[in-house]
Amino acid sequence: MTTRNDQIERYTGSQRAAHWVSAISFILLALSGLALFHPAMAWLANLLGGGQWNRILHPFIGVLWFLVFARFALPLMGSNVITGGDLKWLAQVRRVLAHDASGIPPVGRYNGGQKVLYWVLLLGMLVLLASGVVIWEPYFADRFPVDLRRIAVLAHAVTAWGLILSIIVHVTASVWTAGSLTAMVRGKVSRAWAKHHHPGWYREVG
Amino acid sequence: MALQSLDIERRSATTVPPPGVRTPAQVAKLIDISKCIGCKACQAACLEWNDLRDEVGVCHGTYDNPTDLSAKSWTVMRFHEAQTADGRLEWHIRKDGCMHCADPGCLKACPSPGAIVQYANGIVDFHSEHCIGCGYCLMGCPFHIPRLSQEDHRAYKCTLCSDRVAVGLEPACVKSCPTGCIGFGSKEDMVHVAAGRVAELKERGFAHAGLYDPQGVGGTHVMYVLPHADQPELYSGLPKDPTISPWVQLWKGIAKPIGLAAIGLAALGGFLFYVKSGPEEVHEESEAGPGGPAGPGGAQPPTGGR
Ligand code: HEM
Ligand code: SF4
Ligand code: SF4
C-alpha cells in the first residue's frame, strides 16, 4: 500500500542535476581518455570530433567534472564516515549480493560499499586533477620536469581505470537495487525501500 | 607526407603490421664531432630545405643561437668549453637533433595512429597531419628532442630529410657541411667509416675516442664520433646510457593490455551478475506498514543498495 505520502526525499533537485552532469561528463572523460590510452580504442576519439578535438576537450570536461562532482560530494562527507558496522557489512557483502540479509548490521544513509566508493572517487578525483594539469598541453605541461610528467601520465591512466572500474560496480549495484535509479532521477524513495535498504537513515528522516 | 617509396617498419598507435614488403638498406648519419668547426652551415641548410623561419632571437653571450631546439629549429649547435688536465682549452661543439632511434620512445608514446612512423630504412618521421598535439612524444623521447608548436599545436623534429632520402639525395645538412664532418650512407658503411676515424683519433692521443650508437635504444640512425666517448655528458649533456624511461615502458607496456582487460571484464562481470542474480526488490506490502523501522532481526532485515 504505497501512497504519495509514503515517498521520502533522498536527493534534492540540485543534487540530482549535479549527479547527472558529473555522470555524463565522467562518461565522456572515460571514452575520450580511453581513446588516448589504447590503440584499440583510438576510434573513440571521433566521439568528440576527432583526435585534436578529443585532446583539446578532455581536460576542460575534466575540470567541469571536478567542480560539479566536488560540489555534489563534499556536503555528503558526514554521511560517509566509515564505522565498525560498515566493516561488518563489507565482510558480509557476499550474503548481501545473494539476497540473504540475515545477520547483517543495519545501514544508515549509505552502506559500507557506497562509503568505500565515495572515498575512492574523492581520492581519485584529486589525483586525476593534479596529474591531468601536469600533462595538460599546451598550457601547463612545459612548466613541469619531464620525469614528473611521465609519472603523472601513468598515475592518471591507472587512476582512471580505478575509477572506471568503481563506476562499473556503482552502475551495476544501482541497477540491481531496484528503486535506486528512481531515487536519483525523481529524488524520492518509498518508505519500504528506505526501511529495507537504509533503516538507520529511515529512522532519522522517516 | 607519406612517401609510397618508403616502406614503414612501425606506426604509432597501430596494432596491425604496416606496409613493408620492400627491404631497403638501413641508413645513418655520422656526425664527427672532432671535425666540426661550429659554422652552423647545417643549421642554415635545415631551415632552407624545410622552409623554416624561426624567430630571430637575441645573443645570450654564447655562440648557441638559437639556444635551444624549437618547433622551427630542428637542429642546433651546442657549444661547450672545457679545460684539459694540462690546462689547454677544448671546445666541444655538438650538432643536436633527433637521433632516429631504432627503438624510438616518441613513437612508443604517441597515442595517435600514424602520427609517428619509422620507415624501413630507419628514419623516424612525424606525420603532422595526424598529430593531435598531446605532447606524449616529448615524454617518450630519451633525448629531449620533439617540440610542440604553439602556432598549430603539433610536434616537430628533424626528419632526417626523409623526402630527400626517398629520392636518393643526402640530408640537407650533410650536403652543406664544409668540413666533411657529417657523413651519410648505409648504417653499415657509417659504422665502418667511424671505426677508421676512431683509430686515427686514438693515435692522436684521444685514448677514449669512440662511436656513439647507444644500444639502450637499439642503436641510432644518427651517430657521433666522440673524442671522449667515455664521457658523452661533456658534449652538452649527451646521455651516457639513454633508454626509454621505465615509467614510459610501464605506461605503454603492460599497463595498456591489463587496463583494457580489467575494464572489459568488469563490465561483462557486472552484466552477467545482474542477469544471473536478478534485481534486489523491496516487497512493498510486507514493509510499508505504519510501524517503525524493521531494524536488525526484523521481518526483512536491511541489505545493500546504492
Ligand atoms: C579531473 C580533471 C581531468 C583533467 C584536468 C584531465 C586531463 C587530462 C589530460 C591533459 C590528458 C592528456 C591528453 C589531453 O591533453 O587531452 C588526459 C588523458 C587521459 N585522461 Fe584525463 N583528465 C581529467 C579527468 C579524467 C577522468 C575523470 C578520467 C577517467 C574517467 C580520465 C581519463 C584519462 C585517460 C584514460 C587518459 C589517457 C591516458 C593515457 O594516454 O594513457 N581523465 N587527461
Ligand atoms: S631521438 Fe627522440 S624524437 Fe628522435 S627518434 Fe629517438 S625518441 Fe624519437
Ligand atoms: S604530440 Fe603528436 S606526434 Fe607527439 S605523441 Fe602527440 S600525437 Fe604523437
Side-chain angles (χ1 to χ4, degrees):
Chain A
M1 266 216 327
T2 312
T3 64
R4 281 199 70 79
N5 293 345
D6 282 337
Q7 300 276 305
I8 309 174
E9 180 169 68
R10 189 156 165 87
Y11 292 109
T12 65
S14 55
Q15 279 179 312
R16 270 138 47 207
H19 174 273
W20 289 112
V21 171
S22 66
I24 291 166
S25 44
F26 185 89
I27 291 169
L28 291 178
L29 285 165
L31 297 178
S32 57
L34 284 175
L36 296 159
F37 175 66
H38 197 290
M41 298 285 114
W43 56 277
L44 284 172
N46 292 326
L47 188 71
L48 292 186
Q52 283 264 353
W53 277 115
N54 189 70
R55 185 270 304 166
I56 294 167
L57 292 177
H58 175 96
F60 287 103
I61 302 175
V63 170
L64 175 77
W65 171 73
F66 179 89
L67 295 174
V68 175
F69 185 69
R71 179 73 192 78
F72 170 64
L74 291 180
L76 296 175
M77 195 179 278
S79 319
N80 279 286
V81 178
I82 293 180
T83 63
D86 294 322
L87 297 179
K88 271 188 219 131
W89 186 95
L90 287 166
Q92 309 260 26
V93 70
R94 281 173 166 279
R95 300 248 294 279
V96 176
L97 293 178
H99 306 286
D100 165 15
S102 51
I104 288 169
V107 167
R109 178 164 179 133
Y110 294 109
N111 65 39
Q114 289 172 306
K115 290 181 182 178
V116 169
L117 176 83
Y118 178 88
W119 291 107
V120 167
L121 287 179
L122 217 61
L123 193 72
M125 167 179 101
L126 295 174
V127 175
L128 283 171
L129 182 74
S131 58
V133 167
V134 169
I135 58 171
W136 192 343
E137 294 282 7
Y139 310 113
F140 306 110
D142 63 356
R143 293 162 208 231
F144 298 98
V146 67
D147 259 321
L148 182 67
R149 270 139 72 192
R150 289 169 175 150
I151 295 170
V153 73
L154 180 66
H156 196 84
V158 172
T159 311
W161 350 313
L163 290 205
I164 293 171
L165 293 179
S166 309
I167 292 298
I168 290 174
V169 174
H170 169 66
V171 170
T172 310
S174 48
V175 173
W176 178 73
T177 310
S180 292
L181 271 179
T182 328
M184 197 46 95
V185 178
R186 307 302 308 276
K188 295 208 162 65
V189 294
S190 69
R191 284 178 182 277
W193 185 94
K195 211 195 283 181
H196 179 76
H197 292 300
H198 301 280
W201 174 64
Y202 177 66
R203 220 174 286 143
E204 283 166 33
V205 299
Chain B
M1 264 219 279
L3 293 159
Q4 188 60 45
S5 55
L6 289 180
D7 266 356
I8 290 169
E9 180 72 30
R10 283 186 239 216
R11 188 173 184 274
S12 56
T14 302
T15 45
V16 293
V21 293
R22 306 174 185 88
T23 45
Q26 298 273 303
V27 298
K29 180 162 86 180
L30 181 65
I31 302 171
D32 182 349
I33 285 194
S34 64
K35 285 187 190 163
C36 176
I37 56 171
C39 70
K40 300 180 186 162
C42 54
Q43 257 181 241
C46 180
L47 301 181
E48 191 60 30
W49 175 258
N50 292 298
D51 287 324
L52 296 166
R53 297 293 180 269
D54 206 348
E55 239 169 75
V56 178
V58 291
C59 177
H60 291 259
T62 68
Y63 285 94
D64 297 39
N65 178 17
T67 51
D68 201 3
L69 297 168
S70 76
K72 290 185 178 179
S73 288
W74 298 347
T75 185
V76 297
M77 311 307 296
R78 297 191 184 275
F79 294 75
H80 171 251
E81 286 172 23
Q83 212 169 16
T84 59
D86 53 357
R88 285 181 307 121
L89 168 75
E90 231 178 50
W91 212 2
H92 306 132
I93 309 167
R94 178 165 69 88
K95 170 176 154 55
D96 195 10
C98 175
M99 300 295 289
H100 295 272
C101 308
D103 183 12
C106 56
L107 191 151
K108 195 182 194 97
C110 178
S112 182
I116 304 183
V117 300
Q118 180 181 46
Y119 294 122
N121 65 12
I123 294 178
V124 178
D125 213 357
F126 285 12
H127 284 185
S128 311
E129 73 274 27
H130 298 308
C131 172
I132 62 170
C134 62
Y136 286 10
C137 50
L138 282 65
M139 303 185 221
C141 174
F143 295 95
H144 186 48
I145 297 299
R147 295 291 189 273
L148 263 190
S149 162
Q150 294 290 335
E151 285 171 23
D152 64 7
H153 304 295
R154 285 158 213 269
Y156 291 97
K157 68 159 190 72
C158 156
T159 67
L160 206 63
C161 285
S162 54
D163 46 354
R164 292 173 58 92
V165 172
V167 294
L169 298 172
E170 74 279 60
C173 55
V174 179
K175 189 173 173 79
S176 69
C177 178
T179 66
C181 152
I182 319 176
F184 183 79
S186 73
K187 172 134 184 178
E188 209 184 334
D189 285 353
M190 290 301 111
V191 170
H192 182 73
V193 169
R197 183 62 185 165
V198 166
E200 268 172 44
L201 285 170
K202 284 191 169 156
E203 231 165 74
R204 280 173 39 194
F206 293 97
H208 300 290
L211 176 66
Y212 186 81
D213 178 23
Q215 293 308 304
V217 292
T220 52
H221 292 269
V222 171
M223 303 182 291
Y224 292 110
V225 170
L226 302 178
H228 304 289
D230 56 330
Q231 294 164 270
E233 304 90 344
L234 267 184
Y235 304 93
S236 306
L238 191 61
K240 190 170 179 90
D241 191 14
T243 52
I244 299 177
S245 154
W247 297 111
V248 174
Q249 309 248 25
L250 212 84
W251 167 42
K252 290 291 165 172
I254 51 167
K256 280 199 301 187
I258 293 182
L260 202 61
I263 292 169
L265 288 176
L268 185 69
F271 177 70
L272 292 182
F273 166 75
Y274 181 80
V275 169
K276 281 168 71 178
S277 139
E280 167 78 355
E281 275 162 335
V282 181
H283 305 289
E284 303 284 336
E285 281 76 26
S286 67
E287 298 202 39
Q300 267 276 353
T303 59
R306 275 163 208 253

